[in-house]
């Protein structure tokens, strides 16, 4: 079976101006998709990411995933502009490094912020865009998760828990929205992006040494997995797809 072309399809990538998000946008555009990038605060980055994409008819829109009214307006804009939505990539996410043993350092405000963006924001995006995704031939939702949701090792305890919740949501909604909408998680380990580049080089070298494939992921590895889930894994839903170089084996 040949992979499905994305020609003429519309994809929406939340937080699409960042390193992983922009790589996903480029990969989908390379296969013919038109892309909508959403952002919360960095308008310049989102506009630049949209302008850099090949072709035209791409958009960058202000739509924080924690703002339900903004998501409703987003759905209306996508409907009016394109009349369809085929792919939703829930890529927006936040975290801050807090040692797991530092229970006081992980205060209530940070916990709530992480869950509001990482879990509730993904759910709210699906809820707001469900009708568009169900139209036509049906849609695909890709949640950008993390192996932290399975290993419990990550930037902080709340971040790990939020990604575990995202994977649980993937399974629940894959069942609830079938057969019209497929829902999958793409679950990276360390990614050589904006967050990793703020970490000490010695920490990244340690992660590389513990990874069987001897490196951490590039944003393009995540983007390739997203495309594969959409176009190749057409009989898969509710699955958690690792992009971690075998890191849990190390």
């Amino acid at each position: 079976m040949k992979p499905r072309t994305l020609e003429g399809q519309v994809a929406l990538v939340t937080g699409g101006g960042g390193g992983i998000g922009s790589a996903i946008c480029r990969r989908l555009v390379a296969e013919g998709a038109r892309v909508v990038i959403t952002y919360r605060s960095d308008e310049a980055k989102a506009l630049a990411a949209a302008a850099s994409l090949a072709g035209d008819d791409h958009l960058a829109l202000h739509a924080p995933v924690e703002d339900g009214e903004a998501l409703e307006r987003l759905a209306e804009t996508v409907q009016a502009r394109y009349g369809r939505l085929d792919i939703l990539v829930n890529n927006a996410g936040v975290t801050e490094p807090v040692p797991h043993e530092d229970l006081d350092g992980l205060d209530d405000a940070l916990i709530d912020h992480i869950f509001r963006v990482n879990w509730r924001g993904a759910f709210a995006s699906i809820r707001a865009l469900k009708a568009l995704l169900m139209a036509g031939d049906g849609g695909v939702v890709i949640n950008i998760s993390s192996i932290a949701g399975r290993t419990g090792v990550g930037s902080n305890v709340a971040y790990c828990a939020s990604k575990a919740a995202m994977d649980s949501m993937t399974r629940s909604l894959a069942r609830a929205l079938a057969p019209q909408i497929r829902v999958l998680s793409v679950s990276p380990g360390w990614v050589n992006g904006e967050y990793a580049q703020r970490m000490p080089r010695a920490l990244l070298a340690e992660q590389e040494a513990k990874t069987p494939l001897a490196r951490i992921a590039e944003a393009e590895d995540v983007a390739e997995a997203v495309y594969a889930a959409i176009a190749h894994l057409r009989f898969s839903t509710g699955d958690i797809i690792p992009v971690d170089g075998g890191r849990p084996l190390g």
Side-chain angles (χ1 to χ4, degrees):
M1 181 182 294
K2 294 182 179 179
R4 180 177 299 168
T5 177
L6 304 186
E7 195 68 40
Q9 294 194 19
V10 177
L12 190 150
V13 181
T14 67
I20 294 174
S22 59
I24 293 169
C25 292
R26 290 192 298 272
R27 187 67 183 92
L28 300 183
V29 166
E31 299 299 331
R34 293 168 288 172
V35 167
V36 179
I37 292 171
T38 69
Y39 64 94
R40 181 199 303 134
S41 57
D42 199 334
E43 179 182 25
K45 181 184 287 187
L47 290 172
S52 72
L53 297 173
D56 52 19
D57 208 16
H58 310 300
L59 280 180
L61 298 172
H62 180 250
V65 295
E66 62 269 39
D67 184 339
E69 292 183 358
L71 292 176
E72 291 177 6
R73 292 192 297 270
L74 171 66
E76 292 169 358
T77 300
V78 173
Q79 174 66 57
R81 174 70 174 260
Y82 301 106
R84 64 188 292 167
L85 182 65
D86 305 279
I87 300 158
L88 168 62
V89 182
N90 281 314
N91 170 73
V94 296
T95 193
E96 290 183 19
V98 179
H100 285 212
E101 68 275 10
D102 184 7
L103 304 191
D104 293 326
L106 190 61
D107 61 32
D108 291 347
L110 179 55
I111 293 170
D112 291 346
H113 181 52
I114 289 170
F115 270 88
R116 189 165 54 247
V117 175
N118 293 5
W119 187 85
R120 197 190 79 184
F123 178 84
S125 296
I126 297 170
R127 182 176 59 197
L129 297 164
K130 173 187 168 185
L132 272 169
L133 288 164
M134 281 194 163
D137 296 331
V140 184
V141 174
I142 307 294
N143 296 317
I144 305 301
S145 178
S146 169
I147 63 168
R150 176 160 58 99
T151 65
V153 178
S155 52
N156 63 60
V157 173
Y159 175 79
C160 296
S162 73
K163 293 302 185 178
M166 175 177 270
D167 287 343
S168 180
M169 177 184 68
T170 291
R171 290 185 284 266
S172 295
L173 292 186
R175 181 182 63 253
L177 301 181
Q180 295 94 336
I181 299 174
R182 294 191 298 117
V183 186
L184 301 110
S185 281
V186 166
S187 179
W190 277 92
V191 178
N192 187 23
E194 295 162 334
Y195 180 81
Q197 289 166 9
R198 298 199 301 267
M199 297 296 107
R201 178 58 203 159
L203 175 61
L204 299 182
E206 179 184 355
Q207 298 306 313
E208 292 169 352
K210 291 179 178 179
T211 300
L213 295 188
R215 65 177 178 87
I216 63 174
E218 298 294 334
E220 288 73 18
D221 294 311
V222 182
E224 195 63 43
V226 169
Y227 171 66
I230 295 166
H232 293 270
L233 306 183
R234 288 153 57 182
F235 198 60
S236 296
T237 194
D239 296 301
I240 317 302
I241 301 167
V243 188
D244 56 25
R247 176 64 184 86
L249 306 174

